[in-house]
Amino acid sequence: MRGKRRAPRPPIPWRSPWTPVVCLAGAVALGTLVATSLLVKEVVVVVDGEQAAVRGFAGTVEEVLADAGISVGAGDVVRPAAREHVADGGVIEVYRARPLTVTVDGRTSTHIVTATNVADALTELDIEPANGTLSAPPGRAVPLSGMALTVHTRREVHVVVGNRRLTSRTTAMTVRQVLKHQRIALPRGYQVTPPPGSFPEDGTVITVTPRHLEPVRPAVARLDWPALAACVAHGDPLAYNPDGPHYGMYQFSTRMWEAVGGIGLPSDWPAEEQTYRAQVLYQQVGGDWASQWPTCGDRLFP
């Protein structure tokens, strides 16, 4: 009886003559994959505050930006510099330039800034609004196309009217506006220094000086005005009578004071100014002293 023949053994792959070739190719592919993965970098690019991750093989900042499709124009700021090498995990910041026209207290200038909002732009230009007013909110974005901005700074201005000295913090653009805010009317003939249309710088002293447009006749000037003032108000330029009320050496009411060209209160002005206005009043009423100073008017005549 003939013996059974063994079935042939299946071929063993690693005993194939191609096995070394296949293994080498796999090792090369794996090595290439590992090497490639080691060369790929992930870099964070921040453009005007907006972040994006960029993966690639770029070695320098400018190459990373080119791969990301980010162009750099004149005036743009790039950190690190464009030719600097960048490592995996690095951060590149790009601040794009934008034009800004700034008018500060009437003076206009044009600048290029990289700040993305109004507040940062003013800081970049070293402009301090000093609690003044802005034509746009501090947080408003400055577009790449640029914008115009108006700044009115708050300044300390002094107004001298007679004996009064008023100090205010203002954003007014003219001396006239300062006086209006202080509710100081300017009757005809009053002189203002500096001129009403001029710009009040910080620390400006505005002086309001009355001009005596109505001449006092010599006969009126020779009357005994000190005696009248002594009788009416003890000669006190600051005298005040709440019954009325009446003010100053000649006890003017505000209505009568304004009628003879006075501004503010009579007691705001020195004795010489009060006496001039009293003389003008005397002339306007035709010498009828009794209608104005019934109990003391006869003191005018020594």
Side-chain angles (χ1 to χ4, degrees), residues 206-230:
I206 302 170
T207 303
V208 179
T209 307
R211 294 176 63 186
H212 297 169
L213 299 180
E214 184 172 340
V216 176
R217 296 190 294 271
V220 174
R222 285 195 296 266
L223 297 177
D224 197 346
W225 294 99
L228 174 61

mmCIF file with all atom_site columns, all heavy atoms in Angstrom, residues 206-230:
data_model
loop_
_atom_site.group_PDB
_atom_site.id
_atom_site.type_symbol
_atom_site.label_atom_id
_atom_site.label_alt_id
_atom_site.label_comp_id
_atom_site.label_asym_id
_atom_site.label_entity_id
_atom_site.label_seq_id
_atom_site.pdbx_PDB_ins_code
_atom_site.Cartn_x
_atom_site.Cartn_y
_atom_site.Cartn_z
_atom_site.occupancy
_atom_site.B_iso_or_equiv
_atom_site.pdbx_formal_charge
_atom_site.auth_seq_id
_atom_site.auth_comp_id
_atom_site.auth_asym_id
_atom_site.auth_atom_id
_atom_site.pdbx_PDB_model_num
ATOM 1   N N   . ILE A 1 206 ? -8.761  135.799 29.931 1.00 0.00 ? 206 ILE A N   1
ATOM 2   C CA  . ILE A 1 206 ? -9.633  136.647 29.116 1.00 0.00 ? 206 ILE A CA  1
ATOM 3   C C   . ILE A 1 206 ? -10.066 137.836 29.971 1.00 0.00 ? 206 ILE A C   1
ATOM 4   O O   . ILE A 1 206 ? -10.624 137.652 31.054 1.00 0.00 ? 206 ILE A O   1
ATOM 5   C CB  . ILE A 1 206 ? -10.867 135.867 28.629 1.00 0.00 ? 206 ILE A CB  1
ATOM 6   C CG1 . ILE A 1 206 ? -10.426 134.640 27.811 1.00 0.00 ? 206 ILE A CG1 1
ATOM 7   C CG2 . ILE A 1 206 ? -11.789 136.755 27.807 1.00 0.00 ? 206 ILE A CG2 1
ATOM 8   C CD1 . ILE A 1 206 ? -11.555 133.688 27.489 1.00 0.00 ? 206 ILE A CD1 1
ATOM 9   N N   . THR A 1 207 ? -9.792  139.028 29.485 1.00 0.00 ? 207 THR A N   1
ATOM 10  C CA  . THR A 1 207 ? -10.124 140.235 30.228 1.00 0.00 ? 207 THR A CA  1
ATOM 11  C C   . THR A 1 207 ? -11.228 141.000 29.509 1.00 0.00 ? 207 THR A C   1
ATOM 12  O O   . THR A 1 207 ? -11.119 141.264 28.306 1.00 0.00 ? 207 THR A O   1
ATOM 13  C CB  . THR A 1 207 ? -8.894  141.149 30.386 1.00 0.00 ? 207 THR A CB  1
ATOM 14  O OG1 . THR A 1 207 ? -7.851  140.403 31.023 1.00 0.00 ? 207 THR A OG1 1
ATOM 15  C CG2 . THR A 1 207 ? -9.220  142.364 31.228 1.00 0.00 ? 207 THR A CG2 1
ATOM 16  N N   . VAL A 1 208 ? -12.263 141.326 30.247 1.00 0.00 ? 208 VAL A N   1
ATOM 17  C CA  . VAL A 1 208 ? -13.366 142.129 29.712 1.00 0.00 ? 208 VAL A CA  1
ATOM 18  C C   . VAL A 1 208 ? -13.257 143.518 30.336 1.00 0.00 ? 208 VAL A C   1
ATOM 19  O O   . VAL A 1 208 ? -13.336 143.670 31.554 1.00 0.00 ? 208 VAL A O   1
ATOM 20  C CB  . VAL A 1 208 ? -14.732 141.498 30.032 1.00 0.00 ? 208 VAL A CB  1
ATOM 21  C CG1 . VAL A 1 208 ? -15.864 142.369 29.483 1.00 0.00 ? 208 VAL A CG1 1
ATOM 22  C CG2 . VAL A 1 208 ? -14.813 140.086 29.459 1.00 0.00 ? 208 VAL A CG2 1
ATOM 23  N N   . THR A 1 209 ? -13.060 144.508 29.489 1.00 0.00 ? 209 THR A N   1
ATOM 24  C CA  . THR A 1 209 ? -12.855 145.880 29.949 1.00 0.00 ? 209 THR A CA  1
ATOM 25  C C   . THR A 1 209 ? -13.908 146.794 29.341 1.00 0.00 ? 209 THR A C   1
ATOM 26  O O   . THR A 1 209 ? -14.062 146.822 28.116 1.00 0.00 ? 209 THR A O   1
ATOM 27  C CB  . THR A 1 209 ? -11.463 146.393 29.549 1.00 0.00 ? 209 THR A CB  1
ATOM 28  O OG1 . THR A 1 209 ? -10.477 145.474 30.006 1.00 0.00 ? 209 THR A OG1 1
ATOM 29  C CG2 . THR A 1 209 ? -11.201 147.766 30.142 1.00 0.00 ? 209 THR A CG2 1
ATOM 30  N N   . PRO A 1 210 ? -14.649 147.535 30.165 1.00 0.00 ? 210 PRO A N   1
ATOM 31  C CA  . PRO A 1 210 ? -15.654 148.447 29.610 1.00 0.00 ? 210 PRO A CA  1
ATOM 32  C C   . PRO A 1 210 ? -15.008 149.676 28.992 1.00 0.00 ? 210 PRO A C   1
ATOM 33  O O   . PRO A 1 210 ? -14.002 150.187 29.484 1.00 0.00 ? 210 PRO A O   1
ATOM 34  C CB  . PRO A 1 210 ? -16.495 148.826 30.824 1.00 0.00 ? 210 PRO A CB  1
ATOM 35  C CG  . PRO A 1 210 ? -15.565 148.682 31.976 1.00 0.00 ? 210 PRO A CG  1
ATOM 36  C CD  . PRO A 1 210 ? -14.639 147.558 31.634 1.00 0.00 ? 210 PRO A CD  1
ATOM 37  N N   . ARG A 1 211 ? -15.572 150.112 27.915 1.00 0.00 ? 211 ARG A N   1
ATOM 38  C CA  . ARG A 1 211 ? -15.145 151.367 27.302 1.00 0.00 ? 211 ARG A CA  1
ATOM 39  C C   . ARG A 1 211 ? -16.234 152.405 27.565 1.00 0.00 ? 211 ARG A C   1
ATOM 40  O O   . ARG A 1 211 ? -17.425 152.123 27.421 1.00 0.00 ? 211 ARG A O   1
ATOM 41  C CB  . ARG A 1 211 ? -14.926 151.190 25.799 1.00 0.00 ? 211 ARG A CB  1
ATOM 42  C CG  . ARG A 1 211 ? -13.767 150.262 25.484 1.00 0.00 ? 211 ARG A CG  1
ATOM 43  C CD  . ARG A 1 211 ? -13.634 150.015 24.007 1.00 0.00 ? 211 ARG A CD  1
ATOM 44  N NE  . ARG A 1 211 ? -13.336 151.243 23.280 1.00 0.00 ? 211 ARG A NE  1
ATOM 45  C CZ  . ARG A 1 211 ? -13.279 151.323 21.949 1.00 0.00 ? 211 ARG A CZ  1
ATOM 46  N NH1 . ARG A 1 211 ? -13.509 150.251 21.224 1.00 0.00 ? 211 ARG A NH1 1
ATOM 47  N NH2 . ARG A 1 211 ? -12.995 152.462 21.356 1.00 0.00 ? 211 ARG A NH2 1
ATOM 48  N N   . HIS A 1 212 ? -15.829 153.566 27.950 1.00 0.00 ? 212 HIS A N   1
ATOM 49  C CA  . HIS A 1 212 ? -16.782 154.608 28.333 1.00 0.00 ? 212 HIS A CA  1
ATOM 50  C C   . HIS A 1 212 ? -17.185 155.412 27.101 1.00 0.00 ? 212 HIS A C   1
ATOM 51  O O   . HIS A 1 212 ? -16.546 156.394 26.739 1.00 0.00 ? 212 HIS A O   1
ATOM 52  C CB  . HIS A 1 212 ? -16.169 155.507 29.413 1.00 0.00 ? 212 HIS A CB  1
ATOM 53  C CG  . HIS A 1 212 ? -15.870 154.763 30.677 1.00 0.00 ? 212 HIS A CG  1
ATOM 54  N ND1 . HIS A 1 212 ? -15.120 155.290 31.714 1.00 0.00 ? 212 HIS A ND1 1
ATOM 55  C CD2 . HIS A 1 212 ? -16.211 153.507 31.089 1.00 0.00 ? 212 HIS A CD2 1
ATOM 56  C CE1 . HIS A 1 212 ? -15.032 154.403 32.697 1.00 0.00 ? 212 HIS A CE1 1
ATOM 57  N NE2 . HIS A 1 212 ? -15.690 153.317 32.326 1.00 0.00 ? 212 HIS A NE2 1
ATOM 58  N N   . LEU A 1 213 ? -18.247 154.922 26.456 1.00 0.00 ? 213 LEU A N   1
ATOM 59  C CA  . LEU A 1 213 ? -18.678 155.542 25.209 1.00 0.00 ? 213 LEU A CA  1
ATOM 60  C C   . LEU A 1 213 ? -19.429 156.846 25.430 1.00 0.00 ? 213 LEU A C   1
ATOM 61  O O   . LEU A 1 213 ? -19.416 157.721 24.569 1.00 0.00 ? 213 LEU A O   1
ATOM 62  C CB  . LEU A 1 213 ? -19.568 154.556 24.427 1.00 0.00 ? 213 LEU A CB  1
ATOM 63  C CG  . LEU A 1 213 ? -18.895 153.233 24.016 1.00 0.00 ? 213 LEU A CG  1
ATOM 64  C CD1 . LEU A 1 213 ? -19.880 152.364 23.262 1.00 0.00 ? 213 LEU A CD1 1
ATOM 65  C CD2 . LEU A 1 213 ? -17.664 153.497 23.174 1.00 0.00 ? 213 LEU A CD2 1
ATOM 66  N N   . GLU A 1 214 ? -20.113 156.943 26.556 1.00 0.00 ? 214 GLU A N   1
ATOM 67  C CA  . GLU A 1 214 ? -20.867 158.170 26.818 1.00 0.00 ? 214 GLU A CA  1
ATOM 68  C C   . GLU A 1 214 ? -20.027 159.104 27.682 1.00 0.00 ? 214 GLU A C   1
ATOM 69  O O   . GLU A 1 214 ? -19.724 158.784 28.843 1.00 0.00 ? 214 GLU A O   1
ATOM 70  C CB  . GLU A 1 214 ? -22.181 157.842 27.530 1.00 0.00 ? 214 GLU A CB  1
ATOM 71  C CG  . GLU A 1 214 ? -23.060 159.065 27.734 1.00 0.00 ? 214 GLU A CG  1
ATOM 72  C CD  . GLU A 1 214 ? -24.434 158.705 28.267 1.00 0.00 ? 214 GLU A CD  1
ATOM 73  O OE1 . GLU A 1 214 ? -24.855 157.537 28.126 1.00 0.00 ? 214 GLU A OE1 1
ATOM 74  O OE2 . GLU A 1 214 ? -25.093 159.603 28.849 1.00 0.00 ? 214 GLU A OE2 1
ATOM 75  N N   . PRO A 1 215 ? -19.614 160.224 27.153 1.00 0.00 ? 215 PRO A N   1
ATOM 76  C CA  . PRO A 1 215 ? -18.766 161.132 27.946 1.00 0.00 ? 215 PRO A CA  1
ATOM 77  C C   . PRO A 1 215 ? -19.543 161.744 29.106 1.00 0.00 ? 215 PRO A C   1
ATOM 78  O O   . PRO A 1 215 ? -20.750 161.994 29.014 1.00 0.00 ? 215 PRO A O   1
ATOM 79  C CB  . PRO A 1 215 ? -18.349 162.198 26.932 1.00 0.00 ? 215 PRO A CB  1
ATOM 80  C CG  . PRO A 1 215 ? -19.413 162.169 25.887 1.00 0.00 ? 215 PRO A CG  1
ATOM 81  C CD  . PRO A 1 215 ? -19.895 160.762 25.806 1.00 0.00 ? 215 PRO A CD  1
ATOM 82  N N   . VAL A 1 216 ? -18.831 161.963 30.205 1.00 0.00 ? 216 VAL A N   1
ATOM 83  C CA  . VAL A 1 216 ? -19.434 162.600 31.384 1.00 0.00 ? 216 VAL A CA  1
ATOM 84  C C   . VAL A 1 216 ? -19.155 164.102 31.301 1.00 0.00 ? 216 VAL A C   1
ATOM 85  O O   . VAL A 1 216 ? -18.001 164.523 31.157 1.00 0.00 ? 216 VAL A O   1
ATOM 86  C CB  . VAL A 1 216 ? -18.854 162.005 32.680 1.00 0.00 ? 216 VAL A CB  1
ATOM 87  C CG1 . VAL A 1 216 ? -19.406 162.745 33.903 1.00 0.00 ? 216 VAL A CG1 1
ATOM 88  C CG2 . VAL A 1 216 ? -19.168 160.505 32.757 1.00 0.00 ? 216 VAL A CG2 1
ATOM 89  N N   . ARG A 1 217 ? -20.217 164.865 31.390 1.00 0.00 ? 217 ARG A N   1
ATOM 90  C CA  . ARG A 1 217 ? -20.057 166.312 31.313 1.00 0.00 ? 217 ARG A CA  1
ATOM 91  C C   . ARG A 1 217 ? -19.278 166.820 32.528 1.00 0.00 ? 217 ARG A C   1
ATOM 92  O O   . ARG A 1 217 ? -19.453 166.308 33.646 1.00 0.00 ? 217 ARG A O   1
ATOM 93  C CB  . ARG A 1 217 ? -21.419 166.994 31.233 1.00 0.00 ? 217 ARG A CB  1
ATOM 94  C CG  . ARG A 1 217 ? -22.194 166.632 29.958 1.00 0.00 ? 217 ARG A CG  1
ATOM 95  C CD  . ARG A 1 217 ? -23.425 167.514 29.793 1.00 0.00 ? 217 ARG A CD  1
ATOM 96  N NE  . ARG A 1 217 ? -24.406 167.269 30.836 1.00 0.00 ? 217 ARG A NE  1
ATOM 97  C CZ  . ARG A 1 217 ? -25.369 166.352 30.756 1.00 0.00 ? 217 ARG A CZ  1
ATOM 98  N NH1 . ARG A 1 217 ? -25.442 165.577 29.677 1.00 0.00 ? 217 ARG A NH1 1
ATOM 99  N NH2 . ARG A 1 217 ? -26.237 166.208 31.731 1.00 0.00 ? 217 ARG A NH2 1
ATOM 100 N N   . PRO A 1 218 ? -18.422 167.822 32.335 1.00 0.00 ? 218 PRO A N   1
ATOM 101 C CA  . PRO A 1 218 ? -17.616 168.334 33.454 1.00 0.00 ? 218 PRO A CA  1
ATOM 102 C C   . PRO A 1 218 ? -18.436 168.721 34.665 1.00 0.00 ? 218 PRO A C   1
ATOM 103 O O   . PRO A 1 218 ? -18.022 168.479 35.813 1.00 0.00 ? 218 PRO A O   1
ATOM 104 C CB  . PRO A 1 218 ? -16.903 169.540 32.839 1.00 0.00 ? 218 PRO A CB  1
ATOM 105 C CG  . PRO A 1 218 ? -16.830 169.229 31.380 1.00 0.00 ? 218 PRO A CG  1
ATOM 106 C CD  . PRO A 1 218 ? -18.099 168.494 31.066 1.00 0.00 ? 218 PRO A CD  1
ATOM 107 N N   . ALA A 1 219 ? -19.581 169.322 34.443 1.00 0.00 ? 219 ALA A N   1
ATOM 108 C CA  . ALA A 1 219 ? -20.409 169.740 35.575 1.00 0.00 ? 219 ALA A CA  1
ATOM 109 C C   . ALA A 1 219 ? -20.877 168.543 36.395 1.00 0.00 ? 219 ALA A C   1
ATOM 110 O O   . ALA A 1 219 ? -20.973 168.612 37.630 1.00 0.00 ? 219 ALA A O   1
ATOM 111 C CB  . ALA A 1 219 ? -21.615 170.544 35.079 1.00 0.00 ? 219 ALA A CB  1
ATOM 112 N N   . VAL A 1 220 ? -21.151 167.434 35.721 1.00 0.00 ? 220 VAL A N   1
ATOM 113 C CA  . VAL A 1 220 ? -21.583 166.211 36.412 1.00 0.00 ? 220 VAL A CA  1
ATOM 114 C C   . VAL A 1 220 ? -20.398 165.594 37.150 1.00 0.00 ? 220 VAL A C   1
ATOM 115 O O   . VAL A 1 220 ? -20.532 165.125 38.289 1.00 0.00 ? 220 VAL A O   1
ATOM 116 C CB  . VAL A 1 220 ? -22.193 165.215 35.419 1.00 0.00 ? 220 VAL A CB  1
ATOM 117 C CG1 . VAL A 1 220 ? -22.513 163.888 36.105 1.00 0.00 ? 220 VAL A CG1 1
ATOM 118 C CG2 . VAL A 1 220 ? -23.447 165.800 34.777 1.00 0.00 ? 220 VAL A CG2 1
ATOM 119 N N   . ALA A 1 221 ? -19.228 165.601 36.513 1.00 0.00 ? 221 ALA A N   1
ATOM 120 C CA  . ALA A 1 221 ? -18.045 165.020 37.150 1.00 0.00 ? 221 ALA A CA  1
ATOM 121 C C   . ALA A 1 221 ? -17.662 165.762 38.418 1.00 0.00 ? 221 ALA A C   1
ATOM 122 O O   . ALA A 1 221 ? -17.096 165.175 39.344 1.00 0.00 ? 221 ALA A O   1
ATOM 123 C CB  . ALA A 1 221 ? -16.883 165.015 36.168 1.00 0.00 ? 221 ALA A CB  1
ATOM 124 N N   . ARG A 1 222 ? -17.997 167.089 38.502 1.00 0.00 ? 222 ARG A N   1
ATOM 125 C CA  . ARG A 1 222 ? -17.604 167.894 39.668 1.00 0.00 ? 222 ARG A CA  1
ATOM 126 C C   . ARG A 1 222 ? -18.539 167.702 40.857 1.00 0.00 ? 222 ARG A C   1
ATOM 127 O O   . ARG A 1 222 ? -18.251 168.169 41.964 1.00 0.00 ? 222 ARG A O   1
ATOM 128 C CB  . ARG A 1 222 ? -17.583 169.377 39.278 1.00 0.00 ? 222 ARG A CB  1
ATOM 129 C CG  . ARG A 1 222 ? -16.374 169.748 38.422 1.00 0.00 ? 222 ARG A CG  1
ATOM 130 C CD  . ARG A 1 222 ? -16.194 171.257 38.367 1.00 0.00 ? 222 ARG A CD  1
ATOM 131 N NE  . ARG A 1 222 ? -17.330 171.898 37.709 1.00 0.00 ? 222 ARG A NE  1
ATOM 132 C CZ  . ARG A 1 222 ? -17.354 172.191 36.402 1.00 0.00 ? 222 ARG A CZ  1
ATOM 133 N NH1 . ARG A 1 222 ? -16.324 171.882 35.628 1.00 0.00 ? 222 ARG A NH1 1
ATOM 134 N NH2 . ARG A 1 222 ? -18.407 172.791 35.884 1.00 0.00 ? 222 ARG A NH2 1
ATOM 135 N N   . LEU A 1 223 ? -19.640 167.001 40.696 1.00 0.00 ? 223 LEU A N   1
ATOM 136 C CA  . LEU A 1 223 ? -20.545 166.755 41.819 1.00 0.00 ? 223 LEU A CA  1
ATOM 137 C C   . LEU A 1 223 ? -19.846 165.868 42.858 1.00 0.00 ? 223 LEU A C   1
ATOM 138 O O   . LEU A 1 223 ? -18.879 165.165 42.557 1.00 0.00 ? 223 LEU A O   1
ATOM 139 C CB  . LEU A 1 223 ? -21.834 166.101 41.324 1.00 0.00 ? 223 LEU A CB  1
ATOM 140 C CG  . LEU A 1 223 ? -22.688 166.935 40.349 1.00 0.00 ? 223 LEU A CG  1
ATOM 141 C CD1 . LEU A 1 223 ? -23.893 166.136 39.892 1.00 0.00 ? 223 LEU A CD1 1
ATOM 142 C CD2 . LEU A 1 223 ? -23.117 168.254 40.994 1.00 0.00 ? 223 LEU A CD2 1
ATOM 143 N N   . ASP A 1 224 ? -20.380 165.893 44.080 1.00 0.00 ? 224 ASP A N   1
ATOM 144 C CA  . ASP A 1 224 ? -19.716 165.178 45.177 1.00 0.00 ? 224 ASP A CA  1
ATOM 145 C C   . ASP A 1 224 ? -20.165 163.716 45.207 1.00 0.00 ? 224 ASP A C   1
ATOM 146 O O   . ASP A 1 224 ? -20.974 163.300 46.056 1.00 0.00 ? 224 ASP A O   1
ATOM 147 C CB  . ASP A 1 224 ? -20.043 165.857 46.506 1.00 0.00 ? 224 ASP A CB  1
ATOM 148 C CG  . ASP A 1 224 ? -19.072 165.423 47.607 1.00 0.00 ? 224 ASP A CG  1
ATOM 149 O OD1 . ASP A 1 224 ? -18.353 164.431 47.398 1.00 0.00 ? 224 ASP A OD1 1
ATOM 150 O OD2 . ASP A 1 224 ? -19.035 166.094 48.653 1.00 0.00 ? 224 ASP A OD2 1
ATOM 151 N N   . TRP A 1 225 ? -19.596 162.938 44.308 1.00 0.00 ? 225 TRP A N   1
ATOM 152 C CA  . TRP A 1 225 ? -19.964 161.525 44.226 1.00 0.00 ? 225 TRP A CA  1
ATOM 153 C C   . TRP A 1 225 ? -19.498 160.715 45.429 1.00 0.00 ? 225 TRP A C   1
ATOM 154 O O   . TRP A 1 225 ? -20.222 159.816 45.885 1.00 0.00 ? 225 TRP A O   1
ATOM 155 C CB  . TRP A 1 225 ? -19.429 160.935 42.909 1.00 0.00 ? 225 TRP A CB  1
ATOM 156 C CG  . TRP A 1 225 ? -20.113 161.561 41.720 1.00 0.00 ? 225 TRP A CG  1
ATOM 157 C CD1 . TRP A 1 225 ? -19.645 162.563 40.941 1.00 0.00 ? 225 TRP A CD1 1
ATOM 158 C CD2 . TRP A 1 225 ? -21.418 161.242 41.255 1.00 0.00 ? 225 TRP A CD2 1
ATOM 159 N NE1 . TRP A 1 225 ? -20.568 162.912 40.000 1.00 0.00 ? 225 TRP A NE1 1
ATOM 160 C CE2 . TRP A 1 225 ? -21.678 162.104 40.161 1.00 0.00 ? 225 TRP A CE2 1
ATOM 161 C CE3 . TRP A 1 225 ? -22.409 160.335 41.632 1.00 0.00 ? 225 TRP A CE3 1
ATOM 162 C CZ2 . TRP A 1 225 ? -22.868 162.078 39.461 1.00 0.00 ? 225 TRP A CZ2 1
ATOM 163 C CZ3 . TRP A 1 225 ? -23.596 160.309 40.933 1.00 0.00 ? 225 TRP A CZ3 1
ATOM 164 C CH2 . TRP A 1 225 ? -23.825 161.161 39.858 1.00 0.00 ? 225 TRP A CH2 1
ATOM 165 N N   . PRO A 1 226 ? -18.331 160.977 46.003 1.00 0.00 ? 226 PRO A N   1
ATOM 166 C CA  . PRO A 1 226 ? -17.954 160.241 47.218 1.00 0.00 ? 226 PRO A CA  1
ATOM 167 C C   . PRO A 1 226 ? -18.958 160.452 48.349 1.00 0.00 ? 226 PRO A C   1
ATOM 168 O O   . PRO A 1 226 ? -19.238 159.517 49.118 1.00 0.00 ? 226 PRO A O   1
ATOM 169 C CB  . PRO A 1 226 ? -16.580 160.800 47.562 1.00 0.00 ? 226 PRO A CB  1
ATOM 170 C CG  . PRO A 1 226 ? -16.018 161.254 46.251 1.00 0.00 ? 226 PRO A CG  1
ATOM 171 C CD  . PRO A 1 226 ? -17.201 161.798 45.508 1.00 0.00 ? 226 PRO A CD  1
ATOM 172 N N   . ALA A 1 227 ? -19.495 161.672 48.479 1.00 0.00 ? 227 ALA A N   1
ATOM 173 C CA  . ALA A 1 227 ? -20.467 161.936 49.536 1.00 0.00 ? 227 ALA A CA  1
ATOM 174 C C   . ALA A 1 227 ? -21.749 161.150 49.298 1.00 0.00 ? 227 ALA A C   1
ATOM 175 O O   . ALA A 1 227 ? -22.356 160.611 50.241 1.00 0.00 ? 227 ALA A O   1
ATOM 176 C CB  . ALA A 1 227 ? -20.772 163.439 49.603 1.00 0.00 ? 227 ALA A CB  1
ATOM 177 N N   . LEU A 1 228 ? -22.183 161.074 48.024 1.00 0.00 ? 228 LEU A N   1
ATOM 178 C CA  . LEU A 1 228 ? -23.380 160.289 47.704 1.00 0.00 ? 228 LEU A CA  1
ATOM 179 C C   . LEU A 1 228 ? -23.149 158.820 48.042 1.00 0.00 ? 228 LEU A C   1
ATOM 180 O O   . LEU A 1 228 ? -24.003 158.166 48.665 1.00 0.00 ? 228 LEU A O   1
ATOM 181 C CB  . LEU A 1 228 ? -23.731 160.439 46.226 1.00 0.00 ? 228 LEU A CB  1
ATOM 182 C CG  . LEU A 1 228 ? -24.888 159.557 45.727 1.00 0.00 ? 228 LEU A CG  1
ATOM 183 C CD1 . LEU A 1 228 ? -26.182 159.890 46.470 1.00 0.00 ? 228 LEU A CD1 1
ATOM 184 C CD2 . LEU A 1 228 ? -25.073 159.702 44.225 1.00 0.00 ? 228 LEU A CD2 1
ATOM 185 N N   . ALA A 1 229 ? -21.997 158.283 47.657 1.00 0.00 ? 229 ALA A N   1
ATOM 186 C CA  . ALA A 1 229 ? -21.697 156.878 47.918 1.00 0.00 ? 229 ALA A CA  1
ATOM 187 C C   . ALA A 1 229 ? -21.626 156.593 49.413 1.00 0.00 ? 229 ALA A C   1
ATOM 188 O O   . ALA A 1 229 ? -22.088 155.545 49.885 1.00 0.00 ? 229 ALA A O   1
ATOM 189 C CB  . ALA A 1 229 ? -20.379 156.502 47.249 1.00 0.00 ? 229 ALA A CB  1
ATOM 190 N N   . ALA A 1 230 ? -21.060 157.548 50.181 1.00 0.00 ? 230 ALA A N   1
ATOM 191 C CA  . ALA A 1 230 ? -20.969 157.364 51.627 1.00 0.00 ? 230 ALA A CA  1
ATOM 192 C C   . ALA A 1 230 ? -22.351 157.292 52.252 1.00 0.00 ? 230 ALA A C   1
ATOM 193 O O   . ALA A 1 230 ? -22.593 156.529 53.196 1.00 0.00 ? 230 ALA A O   1
ATOM 194 C CB  . ALA A 1 230 ? -20.154 158.480 52.242 1.00 0.00 ? 230 ALA A CB  1
#
